[in-house]
Each structure stands twice: as structure tokens, then as C-alpha cells.
Amino acid sequence: MLAFAWPWALALAPLPLLASLLPRAAPLAAPLRVPFLEAARAWQRAGGGRRPRLRLILAALAWLALLAAACRPQWLGEPVGVPASGRSMLLVVDVSASMRAAAMGSEMGVEVMRRTARRFVEARAGDRIGLVVFGSRPYVQAPLTFDLHAVAAMVDESFVGLAGEGTALGDAIGLGVARLRAMPRDERVMILLTDGSSTDGTLLVEDAARLARHHGVRVHAIGIGAPRTGQELRKGEGLDEPVLQAVTALTGGRYYRADDAAGLARIYAALEEQEPVAVDERIYRPTAEWYAWPLGLALLLALGAFAAGWREASA
């Protein structure tokens, strides 16, 4: 749809007529000598005293084209709904060596994690989503962004061993808090996926949980695989549910455990209810500026008027 941003510029249309009504300047005290006066009179007699109509018409059209450019014509596209951002959500995913052995039903845990996480990310239109992967150290795989397709692609590209063999659970939570603390306080959400207990890193999980609480970050944890039992286990073996439950309780989040692909999908559905996507929208209309077209036309018409005046003078 064509629209004009500054239609009030049309009020300048009668300006040339008003200028013609102004009183003429007073004659000079001394006569002005015009060496080519006789030649100019000869040109006027040869033209029959006619006014240069073509030049006036072209000048008038050039003025109208300038006015059209001054009105700032725009082409407005179809309205596009832009969802308002409701959350700044960070996925913190365990890709340590223990994920190789994690199984969820008949499928490998890492494959289920990729597939369900990708679907969850793509359904969060309007939220900023980021991705942190961790093993022996945590790394930002994708910063917080509205480009959900890019984040989903980063989830697909994550693989076991990408960040080392160990499990630096406390460091991963700490890095997530560092990335979220610049966001509005009531929008900071972290989703932690892990299949083991902390075996590496410098920051204790308890200290990381207190840091998240201090900065208003809600941590939801998803445990994958079998939990630790009272049997003697090596360091890092099994899912340390008490620690994850303590982290979520301290930060105001919830703890979930996924036994299979269907269970993980249900957990993501529950998280969508717990952290709903914003439903309000802002309307955006793509705008293309068209003032250059009438401006170029005015230039061509002005050149035509000059050419017509030169031709009439030389006739």
C-alpha cells in the first residue's frame, strides 16, 4: 500500500505563485548597460513575443515532483506479527563421556536429547534461547538469540566428548548464570540436562546454585538415566538426584527425571506450561522508501526545462 509520511509538504504547492505576486525590485539608480540588448530584442521579435510555454510546463512539473518527494512516499508491506519476548532461556547440556552409555529405552540418550531439545527450541518462538555444552569444562555453543533455527542446528551438532570427558556441573551452572544475569531479572531461566554427578571443575554445585539464586535464575533440571543407589559407585557414576533436587529447590525451579524418549517429551511439555511462551504480539509493517523516484523525475524535468529555455533562446 502506498502512503505518504509527510503529506503536509503539499501545503508548499502555491509557493511559486506567491513568489510571482511579490512587488518587483526598485530600479537601479544608474542605468544598466546591456551590450546585447538589441540582439535580445531581435530574438523576442523572431519568437513573436510568445512566452516559453514548454519551459514553464516542465518547471511546474519538476516542482510538483519535488513536492511528491518531500511528502516522503512509502510502500507499506503486509502486517507481520512479531511475538514479544517472554523468556531468556539457556539450555545447559551434558556432553561428557558418561553420555555415551546413557540409554533411554531402546535409543541412545544423546540422540533422544538432540531430537527432543531441537523440538523444544523450535517451539519457543519469541524467546531468546542459548546453548551451553559442558564436559570437563563448559562452553557457550550458541549465545542467547532469537534465531531459533541456528540454536536448533547447534543442538544437532553437539556430540559426546565435545567439551571433555569429565562432568563440571558446578562450572556449567556458573557459566549459565554469567550469560543470563544481563537479561531482565524475571526472564532468566536455565534448563539443565545431565546423566551424572559432578566430577570436575572448580565451582561446587552448591555454590553455583546459590549464585543462581542470587541473580534470580530459575534452574530446571532434567536427569537422564538411572539414579545413584546406596551401592559403592565410582566417582561420577549414576545420576545424583539429591544434588539436582537441591539446586532446583534453591532456585525456584523443578526437577524431572526422564526414563525414555516419551518421558523426555512429556518433561518438555511440562516445561512449556511452567515457562509459557509470550502470547502478545507487536505488529510490524515492512516499509520501503520511494522518495528517490519522484526526486529523480524532478531532476530530469529540471534538465528538460533548461534545455527548452536554451533552445527557445537560440531559435
Side-chain angles (χ1 to χ4, degrees):
M1 181 182 70
L2 183 63
F4 293 93
W6 300 335
W8 47 263
L10 289 175
L12 300 175
L15 191 60
L17 295 177
L18 295 177
S20 65
L21 298 177
L22 293 176
R24 297 191 179 188
L28 297 175
L32 180 65
R33 295 181 58 84
V34 182
F36 53 89
L37 179 59
E38 294 300 328
R41 287 176 177 174
W43 296 338
Q44 186 177 15
R45 286 193 297 269
R50 296 173 298 178
R51 300 182 64 182
R53 293 183 179 178
L54 180 59
R55 185 175 60 180
L56 288 177
I57 292 173
L58 292 175
L61 291 176
W63 173 246
L64 293 178
L66 280 175
L67 287 177
C71 289
R72 198 177 160 195
Q74 300 173 333
W75 182 262
L76 302 181
E78 294 298 324
V80 178
V82 180
S85 175
R87 299 287 185 275
S88 297
M89 189 171 291
L90 193 64
L91 291 178
V92 181
V93 179
D94 186 349
V95 291
S96 61
S98 59
M99 285 293 288
R100 292 192 182 98
M104 302 185 69
S106 60
E107 296 183 88
M108 296 300 296
V110 66
E111 296 298 332
V112 176
M113 179 272 295
R114 287 180 188 148
R115 184 173 66 251
T116 52
R118 183 178 63 250
R119 292 174 183 172
F120 176 76
V121 168
E122 291 174 344
R124 301 296 303 189
D127 287 348
R128 293 184 187 88
I129 304 292
L131 175 64
V132 169
V133 297
F134 70 96
S136 302
R137 293 181 180 179
Y139 297 95
V140 177
Q141 189 79 343
L144 290 163
T145 177
F146 291 108
D147 190 351
L148 304 187
H149 294 293
V151 178
M154 291 293 184
V155 171
D156 281 336
E157 293 173 4
S158 301
F159 57 88
V160 173
L162 174 64
E165 301 291 310
T167 305
L169 191 56
D171 289 0
I173 296 173
L175 178 59
V177 172
R179 304 300 297 187
L180 286 168
R181 65 182 180 180
M183 299 296 111
R185 191 175 183 86
D186 58 344
E187 299 177 4
R188 305 170 188 173
V189 179
M190 185 189 308
I191 299 178
L192 174 65
L193 291 92
T194 182
D195 73 322
S197 57
S198 185
T199 64
D200 214 330
T202 58
L203 184 62
L204 296 176
V205 178
E206 294 79 5
D207 293 337
R210 284 191 286 269
L211 185 66
R213 180 181 181 180
H214 175 73
H215 288 284
V217 177
R218 291 189 300 279
V219 181
H220 301 289
I222 301 176
I224 299 174
R228 296 172 65 93
T229 64
Q231 301 175 357
E232 190 68 27
L233 296 174
R234 290 179 297 176
K235 183 181 180 181
E237 276 191 351
L239 180 63
D240 196 348
E241 286 192 313
V243 168
L244 296 178
Q245 290 168 348
V247 170
T248 56
L250 188 63
T251 59
R254 295 185 63 181
Y255 170 72
Y256 305 89
R257 187 163 73 86
D259 295 317
D260 52 22
L264 188 56
R266 287 193 295 270
I267 290 171
Y268 279 121
L271 284 172
E272 289 179 359
E273 295 181 2
Q274 183 87 2
E275 306 288 350
V277 178
V279 296
D280 57 322
E281 288 188 338
R282 292 167 289 180
I283 301 300
Y284 166 73
R285 299 194 72 166
T287 303
E289 298 285 350
W290 281 16
Y291 69 89
W293 296 100
L295 194 61
L297 178 61
L299 177 61
L300 292 176
L301 291 170
L303 292 175
F306 282 121
W310 175 81
R311 182 178 180 184
E312 290 172 356
S314 59

